[in-house]
Amino acid sequence: MDAIILQLLNGLDKGSAYALIALGLTLIFGTLGVVNFAHGALFMIGAFCAVTLSGIFNLSHKSSEPSGTDFLGNPKYEDVLYVKDWFGDAVGAWMLDWSVPLSVLFAIPIMLALGFIMERGLIKHFYRRPHADQILVTFGLAIVLQEVVKYFYGANPIPTAAPAAFRGSFDFGVMLGFDPNVIIYPYWRLVYFAFSAVIIGAVFAFLQFTTFGMVVRAGMADRETVGLLGINIDRRFTFMFGLAAAVAGLAGVMYAPINSPNYHMGMDFLVLSFVVVVVGGMGSLAGAVLAGFLLGILESFASMNEVKMILPGIDQIVIYLVAIIILLTRPRGLMGRRGVMEE
Amino acid sequence: MSKMNLTRRGALKTGAVAGAGLALPTVLRAQDNYLNAPTGDTVTLGFNVPQTGPYADEGADELRAFELAVQHLNGEGDGGMLNTFSSKELQGNGILGKKVAFVTGDTQTKSDAARASAKSMIEKDGALMISGGSSSGVAVAVQGLCQEAGVIFMAGLTHSNDTTGKDKKANGFRHFFNAYMSAAALAPVLKQLYGEERRAYHLTADYTWGWTQQESIAAATEAMGWETVNNVLTPLASTDFSSYIAPVLNSGADVLVLNHYGGNMVNSLTQAVQFGIRDKQVNGKNFEIVVPLYSELMAKGAGANIKGILGSQNWDWKLENEKGEKYAGTNAFVKSFGEKYGFPPSQAAQTCYAQTLLYADAATRAGTFNPCGIVEALEGFEYDGLGNGPTLYRAADHQCFKDVVVVKGAENPSDEFNLVEIVEVTPVEQVTYEPDHPMFAGGDLGTCNPGA
């Protein structure tokens, strides 16, 4: 039982990342009708926002006095951090420690701007082109973004720590009445799950309870009619692209302490996220979230030794197996609209 | 008109001289009859490293070392390890009087891509020797190609037993150590630090290197009394290992062995630490994590999670300073590399640099670029002064035998270049095995192929 609960927690956590990326993909597909293969790259850039802010906080100058010798035997000067010079030791240390959560604030304007530039600069020219063209151009864009990041940050993963208060793990099992040391779970993964839930809730609330969201939803249902009412739906859709980019970016920022960011982390998630979107139903926001968590949990259970003993290799194919079964029995996906992905 | 007396002895003499005369050009031709024999005043080497993909940083470091080796061979720079190498054949005037040129390829850490780039360098650029790589899968594939094509392969970073075991080839040579040697070096240190009664849980990357490393570590630790509780194969493409790590906590194991490399290792170690494995106690013992194969770049990627974790290396830039003159060549190389690039070289860089010098030296001693001459010169070659101490290139399998460095993640690194501490240097005698050892059995070294 404890193993099942542990894998359930894991699945929810994996599902959080899948759901956040799939949510952004669905927002873009639902509003603009574009299949955005660069979405994984946006997730990756979010993670590198955390790396960048941490790098900015770590900017330093050399001390005036040598403190020893370097690896070549030359005088070595200590690095003195600017944040500690400017804000004092205590505040400087706090800023360094909390650089990942602070990166959320740093990433929002960057991701929004990147989304706007992508949409206005490139994607809008492909609205009337076939999906195959959109996939090609966005996939190409993903590779360009990936290579740019590799050029500046290198190919090696860059460790990015969570705040000290959320490092390590705690005894989750005791809260559920299990013996101590049976279900131990990392703090930061719970933070990630909670953060995802907040972001997903905020996106739904925004679409559901604001006038802007209502117009966007109306535009998703019938773009031409909304346009005829004198509403500039294109501008709103551009904003939605930026919002989708920001959601992917924030998912990346908070994911940085879980897996050290590297330039190809977006590609690792991209294919899975598309499967999630297709299983959930193209264009269905609720479907994307539901499928994200469902597939995350299934993947976790498939990794259990007991399951792998009966079905070797199932952990590598379970997601695709489920996708095949769902698409064979329900081509529009779990919560997809009739007419999308089926006749 | 002179009279000719044909005697039996005279006929034999004449026949022998005529035969030798006729045979001589054939012998001379055979000497030159090999693929890509250089005709101009340069000789081209092919450096095949990952320039894209997850090991691109390691590939970049290998390439830096290759460039440095070429400079030193051509008499530029301070000469680096040419000054400490026990063989004194190389004079800084290229190889056999020909200036060394090089071409590069991108393996992408994919066997197909690596073979394609090696093939292109051999066929289009006339490369006489291929070196480099950061994966055993790639090394085995490129080594096979070089054997078929008829050029020498001086392997870069490849740690699978199979490279000089069941997949060994006459045209292929490995300077880097292997999984068996890691296990043989690590086991006594593990026994000393963690005791004889331990239960180990292995997570293993599901490909040739992971399999042979797991087999080697399990055998070495079981021989000293440890029990292997479980071995779980993890897909090479995995990035999130949490669902593989979670079951470790309640498996009864008190040691987690991560048979992972590169990004896989960075992620699995980071997540194992996040799951509190290192804070856990089982049967009154602290839960320990072991990473049998270390690299400096992995230590950097894993950050603080690497602290106190044991592993092994082929070489370390601090070796001569900490362990003395026996490891001469280390400081010379670190100085050349550090002054040129601003940071110390990785073990991948050192092995690639050494391989290039060893190839050049073998060609010089053989007096030819013919691969068969070079094979003969390298087989059984004993040398010193390239940073690893006295070393033998064993004839039976083309594996180098030298001391192995056991390291652990530094608790308080003084800077980004001191992420690992040398715990011990295990003498070569303790890591040597017979060529027909079961873990290296099968395959056939075959005979050298000159490609023509």
Side-chain angles (χ1 to χ4, degrees), chain A residues 271-314:
Chain A
V271 176
L272 283 173
S273 304
F274 265 98
V275 175
V276 168
V277 170
V278 171
V279 167
M282 293 290 278
S284 165
L285 295 172
V289 174
L290 175 73
F293 284 112
L294 178 71
L295 293 181
I297 291 166
L298 274 174
E299 198 185 12
S300 270
F301 281 124
S303 305
M304 289 175 73
N305 294 337
E306 293 81 356
V307 177
K308 285 174 73 177
M309 276 164 65
I310 302 165
L311 298 164
I314 187 69

Short mmCIF file of all heavy atoms in Angstrom, two decimals, chain A residues 271-314:
data_model
loop_
_atom_site.label_atom_id
_atom_site.label_comp_id
_atom_site.label_asym_id
_atom_site.label_seq_id
_atom_site.Cartn_x
_atom_site.Cartn_y
_atom_site.Cartn_z
N VAL A 271 7.21 15.44 -26.69
CA VAL A 271 6.42 14.36 -27.31
C VAL A 271 5.37 13.86 -26.32
O VAL A 271 4.20 13.68 -26.66
CB VAL A 271 7.35 13.22 -27.77
CG1 VAL A 271 6.54 12.06 -28.30
CG2 VAL A 271 8.31 13.72 -28.84
N LEU A 272 5.81 13.70 -25.06
CA LEU A 272 4.87 13.24 -24.04
C LEU A 272 3.70 14.20 -23.89
O LEU A 272 2.54 13.79 -23.77
CB LEU A 272 5.59 13.09 -22.70
CG LEU A 272 6.46 11.86 -22.55
CD1 LEU A 272 7.25 11.91 -21.26
CD2 LEU A 272 5.60 10.60 -22.59
N SER A 273 4.01 15.48 -23.93
CA SER A 273 2.96 16.48 -23.76
C SER A 273 1.97 16.44 -24.92
O SER A 273 0.77 16.65 -24.73
CB SER A 273 3.56 17.87 -23.64
OG SER A 273 4.48 17.87 -22.60
N PHE A 274 2.47 16.18 -26.12
CA PHE A 274 1.55 16.07 -27.26
C PHE A 274 0.64 14.86 -27.11
O PHE A 274 -0.55 14.94 -27.42
CB PHE A 274 2.32 16.02 -28.58
CG PHE A 274 2.44 17.37 -29.18
CD1 PHE A 274 3.58 18.12 -29.02
CD2 PHE A 274 1.38 17.92 -29.87
CE1 PHE A 274 3.67 19.39 -29.53
CE2 PHE A 274 1.47 19.20 -30.39
CZ PHE A 274 2.63 19.94 -30.23
N VAL A 275 1.22 13.78 -26.61
CA VAL A 275 0.39 12.60 -26.37
C VAL A 275 -0.69 12.96 -25.35
O VAL A 275 -1.86 12.60 -25.50
CB VAL A 275 1.25 11.41 -25.88
CG1 VAL A 275 0.38 10.22 -25.53
CG2 VAL A 275 2.26 11.02 -26.94
N VAL A 276 -0.28 13.72 -24.32
CA VAL A 276 -1.23 14.14 -23.30
C VAL A 276 -2.37 14.96 -23.93
O VAL A 276 -3.55 14.72 -23.67
CB VAL A 276 -0.51 14.96 -22.20
CG1 VAL A 276 -1.51 15.66 -21.29
CG2 VAL A 276 0.42 14.08 -21.40
N VAL A 277 -2.02 15.90 -24.78
CA VAL A 277 -3.03 16.76 -25.42
C VAL A 277 -3.98 15.93 -26.28
O VAL A 277 -5.20 16.11 -26.24
CB VAL A 277 -2.33 17.84 -26.28
CG1 VAL A 277 -3.34 18.59 -27.12
CG2 VAL A 277 -1.59 18.81 -25.38
N VAL A 278 -3.41 14.99 -27.03
CA VAL A 278 -4.24 14.18 -27.92
C VAL A 278 -5.15 13.27 -27.11
O VAL A 278 -6.34 13.13 -27.40
CB VAL A 278 -3.34 13.36 -28.88
CG1 VAL A 278 -4.16 12.35 -29.67
CG2 VAL A 278 -2.61 14.29 -29.83
N VAL A 279 -4.59 12.68 -26.03
CA VAL A 279 -5.42 11.81 -25.19
C VAL A 279 -6.52 12.63 -24.51
O VAL A 279 -7.67 12.22 -24.43
CB VAL A 279 -4.54 11.09 -24.13
CG1 VAL A 279 -5.40 10.43 -23.05
CG2 VAL A 279 -3.66 10.05 -24.81
N GLY A 280 -6.16 13.82 -24.04
CA GLY A 280 -7.15 14.66 -23.36
C GLY A 280 -8.20 15.19 -24.32
O GLY A 280 -9.33 15.46 -23.92
N GLY A 281 -7.82 15.35 -25.56
CA GLY A 281 -8.74 15.92 -26.55
C GLY A 281 -8.21 17.25 -27.01
O GLY A 281 -8.13 18.18 -26.20
N MET A 282 -7.84 17.34 -28.31
CA MET A 282 -7.27 18.58 -28.83
C MET A 282 -8.23 19.75 -28.56
O MET A 282 -9.40 19.69 -28.91
CB MET A 282 -7.03 18.47 -30.34
CG MET A 282 -5.95 17.49 -30.75
SD MET A 282 -4.29 17.97 -30.33
CE MET A 282 -3.87 19.07 -31.66
N GLY A 283 -7.71 20.78 -27.95
CA GLY A 283 -8.53 21.96 -27.71
C GLY A 283 -9.25 21.97 -26.38
O GLY A 283 -9.82 22.97 -25.99
N SER A 284 -9.21 20.86 -25.65
CA SER A 284 -9.92 20.82 -24.36
C SER A 284 -8.94 21.08 -23.22
O SER A 284 -8.03 20.28 -22.95
CB SER A 284 -10.58 19.45 -24.18
OG SER A 284 -10.95 19.30 -22.83
N LEU A 285 -9.14 22.20 -22.54
CA LEU A 285 -8.24 22.55 -21.43
C LEU A 285 -8.39 21.56 -20.28
O LEU A 285 -7.40 21.08 -19.72
CB LEU A 285 -8.54 23.97 -20.94
CG LEU A 285 -8.27 25.09 -21.94
CD1 LEU A 285 -8.79 26.41 -21.41
CD2 LEU A 285 -6.79 25.20 -22.23
N ALA A 286 -9.62 21.24 -19.96
CA ALA A 286 -9.86 20.29 -18.86
C ALA A 286 -9.29 18.92 -19.24
O ALA A 286 -8.72 18.22 -18.40
CB ALA A 286 -11.35 20.19 -18.57
N GLY A 287 -9.45 18.56 -20.51
CA GLY A 287 -8.94 17.27 -20.98
C GLY A 287 -7.43 17.19 -20.84
O GLY A 287 -6.88 16.15 -20.45
N ALA A 288 -6.73 18.31 -21.16
CA ALA A 288 -5.27 18.32 -21.07
C ALA A 288 -4.83 18.08 -19.63
O ALA A 288 -3.89 17.31 -19.37
CB ALA A 288 -4.74 19.66 -21.58
N VAL A 289 -5.51 18.75 -18.70
CA VAL A 289 -5.13 18.62 -17.29
C VAL A 289 -5.43 17.20 -16.80
O VAL A 289 -4.59 16.54 -16.17
CB VAL A 289 -5.88 19.66 -16.44
CG1 VAL A 289 -5.62 19.43 -14.96
CG2 VAL A 289 -5.45 21.07 -16.85
N LEU A 290 -6.61 16.72 -17.14
CA LEU A 290 -7.00 15.37 -16.71
C LEU A 290 -6.02 14.33 -17.27
O LEU A 290 -5.52 13.47 -16.54
CB LEU A 290 -8.43 15.07 -17.19
CG LEU A 290 -8.92 13.65 -16.91
CD1 LEU A 290 -9.22 13.48 -15.42
CD2 LEU A 290 -10.19 13.33 -17.72
N ALA A 291 -5.75 14.42 -18.57
CA ALA A 291 -4.86 13.44 -19.22
C ALA A 291 -3.44 13.55 -18.68
O ALA A 291 -2.75 12.54 -18.52
CB ALA A 291 -4.87 13.64 -20.73
N GLY A 292 -3.00 14.77 -18.37
CA GLY A 292 -1.66 14.96 -17.82
C GLY A 292 -1.49 14.18 -16.53
O GLY A 292 -0.54 13.42 -16.37
N PHE A 293 -2.44 14.35 -15.62
CA PHE A 293 -2.35 13.63 -14.34
C PHE A 293 -2.54 12.13 -14.53
O PHE A 293 -1.83 11.32 -13.93
CB PHE A 293 -3.36 14.20 -13.34
CG PHE A 293 -2.92 15.52 -12.78
CD1 PHE A 293 -3.59 16.70 -13.09
CD2 PHE A 293 -1.82 15.60 -11.94
CE1 PHE A 293 -3.17 17.91 -12.59
CE2 PHE A 293 -1.39 16.82 -11.43
CZ PHE A 293 -2.07 17.98 -11.75
N LEU A 294 -3.48 11.76 -15.40
CA LEU A 294 -3.75 10.34 -15.62
C LEU A 294 -2.50 9.62 -16.16
O LEU A 294 -2.10 8.57 -15.65
CB LEU A 294 -4.91 10.20 -16.63
CG LEU A 294 -5.29 8.77 -17.00
CD1 LEU A 294 -5.99 8.09 -15.82
CD2 LEU A 294 -6.20 8.74 -18.22
N LEU A 295 -1.88 10.21 -17.16
CA LEU A 295 -0.72 9.55 -17.77
C LEU A 295 0.50 9.58 -16.85
O LEU A 295 1.28 8.64 -16.82
CB LEU A 295 -0.39 10.18 -19.13
CG LEU A 295 -1.47 9.94 -20.20
CD1 LEU A 295 -1.05 10.57 -21.53
CD2 LEU A 295 -1.75 8.47 -20.41
N GLY A 296 0.63 10.67 -16.08
CA GLY A 296 1.72 10.74 -15.11
C GLY A 296 1.60 9.61 -14.09
O GLY A 296 2.58 8.93 -13.77
N ILE A 297 0.39 9.39 -13.59
CA ILE A 297 0.18 8.34 -12.58
C ILE A 297 0.40 6.96 -13.21
O ILE A 297 1.07 6.09 -12.64
CB ILE A 297 -1.25 8.46 -11.99
CG1 ILE A 297 -1.34 9.73 -11.14
CG2 ILE A 297 -1.61 7.23 -11.17
CD1 ILE A 297 -2.74 10.14 -10.77
N LEU A 298 -0.12 6.76 -14.42
CA LEU A 298 0.05 5.46 -15.09
C LEU A 298 1.53 5.16 -15.32
O LEU A 298 2.00 4.04 -15.12
CB LEU A 298 -0.67 5.47 -16.45
CG LEU A 298 -2.14 5.10 -16.43
CD1 LEU A 298 -2.74 5.30 -17.81
CD2 LEU A 298 -2.33 3.66 -15.97
N GLU A 299 2.27 6.18 -15.72
CA GLU A 299 3.70 5.99 -15.98
C GLU A 299 4.43 5.60 -14.70
O GLU A 299 5.31 4.74 -14.70
CB GLU A 299 4.29 7.29 -16.55
CG GLU A 299 5.62 7.08 -17.24
CD GLU A 299 6.26 8.38 -17.70
OE1 GLU A 299 5.80 9.47 -17.30
OE2 GLU A 299 7.23 8.31 -18.45
N SER A 300 4.05 6.23 -13.60
CA SER A 300 4.68 5.92 -12.32
C SER A 300 4.39 4.48 -11.90
O SER A 300 5.28 3.76 -11.47
CB SER A 300 4.18 6.87 -11.24
OG SER A 300 5.00 7.99 -11.19
N PHE A 301 3.14 4.08 -12.02
CA PHE A 301 2.80 2.71 -11.62
C PHE A 301 3.50 1.69 -12.53
O PHE A 301 3.91 0.63 -12.08
CB PHE A 301 1.29 2.49 -11.65
CG PHE A 301 0.61 3.07 -10.43
CD1 PHE A 301 -0.42 3.99 -10.55
CD2 PHE A 301 1.02 2.70 -9.16
CE1 PHE A 301 -1.03 4.53 -9.42
CE2 PHE A 301 0.42 3.24 -8.02
CZ PHE A 301 -0.60 4.15 -8.16
N ALA A 302 3.64 2.02 -13.79
CA ALA A 302 4.29 1.09 -14.73
C ALA A 302 5.77 0.91 -14.40
O ALA A 302 6.39 -0.06 -14.83
CB ALA A 302 4.13 1.60 -16.16
N SER A 303 6.35 1.87 -13.65
CA SER A 303 7.77 1.77 -13.29
C SER A 303 7.99 0.88 -12.08
O SER A 303 9.14 0.60 -11.72
CB SER A 303 8.34 3.15 -12.97
OG SER A 303 8.11 4.02 -14.03
N MET A 304 6.91 0.45 -11.43
CA MET A 304 7.07 -0.37 -10.21
C MET A 304 7.65 -1.73 -10.58
O MET A 304 7.28 -2.33 -11.59
CB MET A 304 5.72 -0.55 -9.52
CG MET A 304 5.21 0.73 -8.87
SD MET A 304 3.57 0.53 -8.19
CE MET A 304 3.90 -0.48 -6.75
N ASN A 305 8.54 -2.22 -9.72
CA ASN A 305 9.20 -3.50 -9.99
C ASN A 305 8.18 -4.62 -10.17
O ASN A 305 8.34 -5.49 -11.01
CB ASN A 305 10.15 -3.86 -8.84
CG ASN A 305 11.30 -2.88 -8.76
OD1 ASN A 305 11.64 -2.24 -9.75
ND2 ASN A 305 11.90 -2.77 -7.59
N GLU A 306 7.13 -4.58 -9.33
CA GLU A 306 6.13 -5.65 -9.38
C GLU A 306 5.45 -5.68 -10.75
O GLU A 306 5.16 -6.74 -11.29
CB GLU A 306 5.06 -5.43 -8.29
CG GLU A 306 5.57 -5.57 -6.86
CD GLU A 306 6.29 -4.33 -6.34
OE1 GLU A 306 6.45 -3.36 -7.12
OE2 GLU A 306 6.71 -4.33 -5.18
N VAL A 307 5.19 -4.50 -11.30
CA VAL A 307 4.53 -4.43 -12.61
C VAL A 307 5.50 -4.85 -13.71
O VAL A 307 5.15 -5.60 -14.63
CB VAL A 307 4.00 -2.99 -12.86
CG1 VAL A 307 3.38 -2.87 -14.24
CG2 VAL A 307 3.01 -2.60 -11.78
N LYS A 308 6.75 -4.39 -13.59
CA LYS A 308 7.75 -4.70 -14.64
C LYS A 308 8.10 -6.18 -14.67
O LYS A 308 8.50 -6.71 -15.71
CB LYS A 308 9.02 -3.87 -14.42
CG LYS A 308 8.82 -2.41 -14.84
CD LYS A 308 10.01 -1.57 -14.49
CE LYS A 308 11.18 -1.85 -15.40
NZ LYS A 308 12.33 -0.99 -15.11
N MET A 309 7.94 -6.84 -13.53
CA MET A 309 8.21 -8.29 -13.52
C MET A 309 7.18 -9.04 -14.35
O MET A 309 7.48 -10.03 -15.01
CB MET A 309 8.21 -8.82 -12.07
CG MET A 309 9.56 -8.63 -11.38
SD MET A 309 9.48 -8.82 -9.61
CE MET A 309 9.03 -10.51 -9.44
N ILE A 310 5.95 -8.54 -14.33
CA ILE A 310 4.89 -9.19 -15.11
C ILE A 310 4.96 -8.73 -16.56
O ILE A 310 4.83 -9.52 -17.49
CB ILE A 310 3.50 -8.86 -14.51
CG1 ILE A 310 3.45 -9.30 -13.04
CG2 ILE A 310 2.38 -9.54 -15.31
CD1 ILE A 310 2.29 -8.71 -12.25
N LEU A 311 5.16 -7.43 -16.76
CA LEU A 311 5.19 -6.86 -18.11
C LEU A 311 6.51 -6.09 -18.30
O LEU A 311 6.57 -4.88 -18.12
CB LEU A 311 4.01 -5.90 -18.31
CG LEU A 311 2.61 -6.49 -18.21
CD1 LEU A 311 1.57 -5.39 -18.03
CD2 LEU A 311 2.29 -7.30 -19.46
N PRO A 312 7.57 -6.80 -18.66
CA PRO A 312 8.86 -6.11 -18.80
C PRO A 312 8.80 -5.00 -19.86
O PRO A 312 8.20 -5.18 -20.91
CB PRO A 312 9.82 -7.22 -19.25
CG PRO A 312 9.12 -8.50 -18.94
CD PRO A 312 7.67 -8.21 -18.98
N GLY A 313 9.40 -3.88 -19.54
CA GLY A 313 9.46 -2.78 -20.51
C GLY A 313 8.20 -1.94 -20.59
O GLY A 313 8.13 -0.99 -21.35
N ILE A 314 7.20 -2.28 -19.76
CA ILE A 314 5.91 -1.57 -19.84
C ILE A 314 6.08 -0.08 -19.51
O ILE A 314 5.36 0.77 -20.03
CB ILE A 314 4.86 -2.23 -18.90
CG1 ILE A 314 3.46 -1.62 -19.10
CG2 ILE A 314 5.26 -2.15 -17.45
CD1 ILE A 314 2.81 -1.94 -20.41
#
